Amino acid sequence: MPLSANNPTRKTWLETPKQTDFPIQNIPFGVFLTRDDVITIGTRIGNYAIDLGALHQLGYFDGIPLTDDIFLQDTLNDFIADGRKTWRLVRNRISEIFEESNPALRENKKHRDIVIFGLDEVEMQLPVQIGDYTDFYSSIEHATNVGTMFRGKENALMPNWLHLPVAYHGRSSSIIPSGIPVHRPQGQKLPNGATAPIFGPSRLVDFELEMAFITTAANQLGESIPVNEAEEYIFGLVLFNDWSARDIQKWEYVPLGPFLAKNFASSISPWIVTLDALEPFRVDSPEQKKELLPYLQSSGKKSFDINLEVALQPEGKKETVISKSNFKYMYWNMSQQLAHHTVNGCPVNAGDMMGSGTLSGPTPSTYGSMLELSWRGEKPVKLKEGGDRKFIEDNDTVIIRGFSKSNEHPRIGFGEVSTKLLPVFEPKTK
Ligand code: MN
């Protein structure tokens, strides 16, 4: 099916800012609460949120096989479960409705008033009910940096790392949308030189610059997904900040991997940008350093050129951009991740989320965590308005942004995921 929604020359009758992440070629999907307290599935063009539930009720999706209430829901799970053919039909139709020469909605003020909202009139929600969440560890630079810090340069990469995309099963209950603040976690830590742990606030709270992809129902128990079919089951991507407490992590992670150091919160951007919208930005993955087992051998361009940046904003101050990286640095691509995840017959459902792992690049300015940027706190990161940071301090806000851009295609962006770190939670006493 043609991706007519991606037509780079198409213009919309809506007024959009020049540098927007959300031109008519993007058409992401999200869930929002309207000014009338109605929850609905929507899309975004420029700085307008568009109510797809209302558009559907008004007949604008006639001819596309959709259930009546498919967009009148508080999650995208059912729409995602409808599969790639339906996503494409809907995205193409939305593009037609807002195409500049199409008068149907453009000239119908009554309908426009029902369907189109300013961004300040809506409140973005978590776009999917995430059933299962898995976090990969797929940047060779990040794995090498962290391994060097914990085990020395010679043993930086574990023997399995170049043979399989390492991951752990995370927790979905603490995944939150952009704008929801997070409390500094408390837990067990082993102070340097001590023989017994202490309990208290984490002193090494960190972000992880990641992206995450969201799947549709992919396989039954026992079935596996071939690596070169895996993209059929990927709906789209979001920006992902995998909050981490490095002192808790260091004490707890042996032998089963991260637990409480990671599951206190992870933040995502609210608009899911479809894999289809990113089609013009395909690139090769980094060269593989080992011959892979056949089930991991992917062919063609399976990675995407997505510029990423992290900004840190202390309370009441200007932000400082502290890292610039790219999704394309990821050593294991999403197809390999999904093929590996299911090779043993583990089922993947609509609304599952797979984190990339911290997306560090080859140079220090591209590192995707404070752990690496400040190299365990040895090289504090300077801030624009004075002061510096080894890790994240109370009332700091961490903002991740991402976008793709080329000379041939309009910018396709993700907006941002912005999260403030609050002090340790204090129970209210009467
Ligand atoms: Mn992570």
Side-chain angles (χ1 to χ4, degrees):
M1 184 187 309
L3 295 176
S4 60
N6 284 6
N7 178 353
T9 60
R10 187 166 280 184
K11 290 190 166 56
T12 174
W13 49 263
L14 281 169
E15 238 177 85
T16 57
K18 232 183 181 164
Q19 270 296 322
T20 184
D21 276 356
F22 302 96
I24 193 170
Q25 288 79 9
N26 191 337
I27 312 188
F29 293 91
V31 172
F32 57 79
L33 202 60
T34 70
R35 58 190 168 218
D36 308 317
D37 249 7
V38 174
I39 201 156
T40 184
I41 286 170
T43 188
R44 175 173 172 177
I45 297 177
N47 290 331
Y48 296 106
I50 292 148
D51 182 341
L52 297 183
L55 268 182
H56 189 21
Q57 280 183 318
L58 294 168
Y60 286 88
F61 292 115
D62 282 0
I64 301 178
L66 294 167
T67 54
D68 289 347
D69 63 348
I70 192 72
F71 297 125
L72 299 172
Q73 311 213 12
D74 54 9
T75 72
L76 277 157
N77 292 54
D78 286 355
F79 175 63
I80 292 172
D82 278 349
R84 204 178 202 189
K85 192 177 162 202
T86 304
W87 315 333
R88 288 185 170 174
L89 287 168
V90 167
R91 219 173 133 261
N92 286 347
R93 179 67 63 84
I94 295 169
S95 175
E96 284 164 27
I97 296 167
F98 291 92
E99 197 270 320
E100 65 179 349
S101 69
N102 186 344
L105 180 63
R106 190 188 68 201
E107 300 305 325
N108 190 329
K109 185 176 182 322
K110 211 176 119 199
H111 284 186
R112 280 198 329 262
D113 288 346
I114 297 169
V115 165
I116 301 169
F117 295 85
L119 283 182
D120 52 352
E121 297 176 293
V122 303
E123 191 183 297
M124 297 307 298
Q125 311 289 304
L126 211 56
V128 275
Q129 182 172 11
I130 300 158
D132 277 306
Y133 149 54
T134 300
D135 199 21
F136 283 87
Y137 191 55
S138 287
S139 151
I140 194 167
E141 288 85 2
H142 174 70
T144 304
N145 288 339
V146 174
T148 302
M149 279 183 236
F150 286 110
R151 290 182 295 273
K153 217 166 190 156
E154 286 68 41
N155 306 308
L157 285 187
M158 296 300 266
N160 59 5
W161 203 93
L162 294 171
H163 296 279
L164 57 83
V166 170
Y168 68 95
H169 283 120
R171 185 144 180 102
S172 51
S173 65
S174 52
I175 298 179
I176 50 175
S178 179
I180 304 289
V182 172
H183 284 282
R184 178 178 296 274
Q186 304 195 78
Q188 282 198 26
K189 312 170 285 184
L190 185 71
N192 282 338
T195 52
I198 58 167
F199 178 84
S202 168
R203 294 290 167 217
L204 308 181
V205 173
D206 201 353
F207 64 86
E208 288 188 336
L209 166 59
E210 303 195 23
M211 299 196 72
F213 68 86
I214 289 146
T215 61
T216 185
N219 59 328
Q220 304 284 337
L221 183 75
E223 293 175 3
S224 55
I225 301 171
V227 64
N228 289 314
E229 288 174 26
E231 286 186 350
E232 289 293 315
Y233 305 103
I234 298 174
F235 176 63
L237 286 98
V238 291
L239 303 169
F240 189 65
N241 180 352
D242 186 22
W243 289 93
S244 302
R246 300 301 180 193
D247 38 6
I248 296 172
Q249 184 179 353
K250 195 179 173 195
W251 169 234
E252 75 171 3
Y253 88 102
V254 179
L256 289 185
F259 182 35
L260 304 178
K262 299 279 191 173
N263 69 9
F264 61 97
S266 302
S267 318
I268 64 171
S269 55
W271 295 105
I272 305 175
V273 175
T274 62
L275 207 58
D276 281 343
L278 294 165
E279 191 60 37
F281 304 101
R282 283 185 180 276
V283 287
D284 287 317
S285 302
E287 206 182 319
Q288 308 269 306
K289 294 174 190 281
K290 292 270 188 208
E291 170 86 15
L292 297 178
L293 290 166
Y295 82 94
L296 286 170
Q297 291 173 7
S298 69
S299 58
K301 295 182 192 305
K302 291 282 196 316
S303 193
F304 295 85
D305 182 3
I306 305 170
N307 302 286
L308 299 166
E309 68 171 41
V310 184
L312 193 155
Q313 184 174 30
E315 177 129 279
K317 300 227 164 110
K318 284 205 181 81
E319 66 170 52
T320 303
V321 173
I322 56 174
S323 174
K324 285 193 176 192
S325 188
N326 196 301
F327 186 67
K328 71 182 178 190
Y329 296 139
M330 190 163 75
Y331 185 87
W332 296 100
N333 61 47
M334 295 182 282
S335 299
Q336 292 170 319
Q337 291 169 346
L338 202 48
H340 184 64
H341 204 312
T342 58
V343 74
N344 66 344
C346 170
V348 166
N349 296 310
D352 284 1
M353 181 173 284
M354 314 285 174
S356 58
T358 306
L359 291 164
S360 295
T363 57
S365 65
T366 64
Y367 291 169
S369 65
M370 290 305 287
L371 181 67
E372 296 162 274
L373 288 164
S374 77
W375 207 258
R376 272 187 303 202
E378 290 160 22
K379 300 176 191 166
V381 176
K382 295 247 177 307
L383 299 180
K384 228 183 210 167
E385 290 194 72
D388 54 31
R389 288 289 183 279
K390 296 173 177 173
F391 288 90
I392 305 302
E393 294 187 2
D394 286 352
N395 301 309
D396 284 351
T397 298
V398 175
I399 306 150
I400 297 177
R401 302 188 181 96
F403 66 91
S404 298
K405 205 179 146 184
S406 75
N407 291 333
E408 295 78 39
H409 200 82
R411 174 185 176 115
I412 299 292
F414 291 78
E416 62 179 38
V417 51
S418 168
T419 316
K420 186 176 186 175
L421 181 68
L422 299 175
V424 164
F425 175 75
E426 302 278 359
K428 282 195 183 87
T429 46
K430 281 185 187 166

